[in-house]
Amino acid sequence: MRIVRFVSGRQPRYGVVEGAVVREVEGDIFGKFIVTDRTHSLKRIRFLAPTEPSKIVGVGLNYRDHVDEMKLHTPDEPIIFLKPPSATLPHRGRITYPKVCGRLDYEAELGIVIKRTARAVPVGKAHRYILGYVCFNDVTARDLQRKDGQWTRAKSFDTFAPFGPWIETDLDLSDAPIRALLNGVIRQESNINNLIFEVPYLIHFVSTVMTLYPGDVITTGTPSGVSPMRPGDTIEIEVEGIGRLSNSVVAES
Ligand code: MG
């Protein structure tokens, strides 16, 4: 099932995507809800970021090829960092290229959307805490990441957390190709099954550090092939089985 958040009559709503149609839902997508007969054209809706997370937890260096590309060592535990909720951006939103940034990179990632409050979740029970999956672009000011020696500024500008286009509740993690397309050209291509630390372990690991709430997102790291974007570019993050998240890049005015 594909759960989309969108604007209708100025109200944020949730719906379920069925082909070219969005059917509104009533109730709580994290709990009980029903799918109504009120429909919208998928082509015509204005997308919102799929959730309003209390936090976004990033995972660094979680694909071996990306570790090699960055000339770093494979970590023995996940390297985690935070992106603020103020950075979220929906499908078709514009990524702002900050004036202070000298190199702005895309990072194609699989995002996990948390379903229920999670604290110290055992690996074997992690699946119960997952609502679904999103395409995530962990936009990074690479020069500032290197300059600062820690990642907060580089990962946190407004618009640096595009995710969507919707939440896919059913995804086969054993085989899901992931790619980034810059202006239609494939620049990153890998598979979710190449993750060093897998989805259940990440939920366990992160939830032993901090309580996760419904709508929070863990973004699982990027494969090799990261490179810069420029104003005017279109960047798309695709995970087969979810869909394709598309955003344009604009200069800060
Ligand atoms: Mg990343």
Side-chain angles (χ1 to χ4, degrees):
M1 182 169 46
R2 291 178 168 174
I3 301 171
V4 66
R5 187 160 164 266
F6 65 104
V7 177
S8 170
R10 297 188 185 170
Q11 294 270 10
R13 294 183 196 282
Y14 276 104
V16 170
V17 180
E18 293 178 358
V21 167
V22 176
R23 294 176 64 189
E24 282 184 28
V25 303
E26 262 173 25
D28 176 9
I29 62 147
F30 302 102
K32 286 208 166 79
F33 64 86
I34 57 159
V35 181
T36 72
D37 291 329
R38 291 193 299 277
T39 61
H40 303 261
S41 164
L42 180 61
K43 264 189 190 163
R44 298 184 61 175
I45 62 169
R46 183 156 72 82
F47 285 81
L48 295 173
T51 66
E52 296 182 285
S54 79
K55 57 193 161 298
I56 297 162
V57 183
V59 179
L61 307 175
N62 202 19
Y63 286 84
R64 277 183 192 84
D65 51 4
H66 181 57
V67 173
D68 294 343
E69 155 182 84
M70 303 304 278
K71 299 187 171 59
L72 295 165
H73 297 290
T74 302
D76 60 357
E77 290 188 309
I79 307 289
I80 60 172
F81 60 94
L82 291 172
K83 288 173 87 83
S86 46
T88 61
L89 187 73
H91 177 52
R92 296 182 183 150
R94 293 171 172 180
I95 298 164
T96 300
Y97 197 125
K99 283 178 183 162
V100 296
C101 170
R103 174 175 162 156
L104 186 69
D105 282 5
Y106 55 82
E107 294 188 356
E109 305 197 1
L110 172 75
I112 309 161
V113 178
I114 297 298
K115 182 182 173 73
R116 57 173 61 94
T117 302
R119 172 75 203 150
V121 174
V123 170
K125 292 184 176 169
H127 61 280
R128 298 185 194 172
Y129 294 82
I130 300 170
L131 176 63
Y133 302 92
V134 291
C135 305
F136 197 102
N137 189 350
D138 178 19
V139 177
T140 302
R142 192 69 67 201
D143 59 325
L144 301 183
Q145 184 183 29
R146 293 194 173 120
K147 181 180 179 188
D148 290 359
Q150 51 86 5
W151 301 2
T152 303
R153 179 164 67 144
K155 297 283 190 180
S156 298
F157 286 88
D158 289 359
T159 75
F160 274 25
F163 69 115
W166 41 65
I167 302 163
E168 171 58 66
T169 58
D170 305 298
L171 182 68
D172 178 5
L173 296 175
S174 71
D175 182 21
I178 180 169
R179 48 186 79 90
L181 299 94
L182 185 65
N183 301 320
V185 178
I186 295 175
R187 304 299 286 269
Q188 286 184 285
E189 188 158 36
S190 187
N191 195 298
I192 300 308
N193 60 24
N194 290 323
L195 288 175
I196 297 170
F197 299 106
E198 297 177 355
V199 166
Y201 184 74
L202 290 175
I203 291 171
H204 162 72
F205 184 85
V206 173
S207 71
T208 59
V209 178
M210 62 189 91
T211 302
L212 295 167
Y213 297 105
D216 283 357
V217 176
I218 299 174
T219 187
T220 57
T222 199
S224 65
V226 296
S227 69
M229 305 180 286
R230 308 214 178 284
D233 285 347
T234 297
I235 181 70
E236 295 169 289
I237 308 300
E238 180 177 62
V239 178
E240 279 187 27
I242 301 177
R244 196 183 276 193
L245 168 73
S246 179
N247 297 98
S248 54
V249 182
V250 295
E252 182 183 355
S253 57

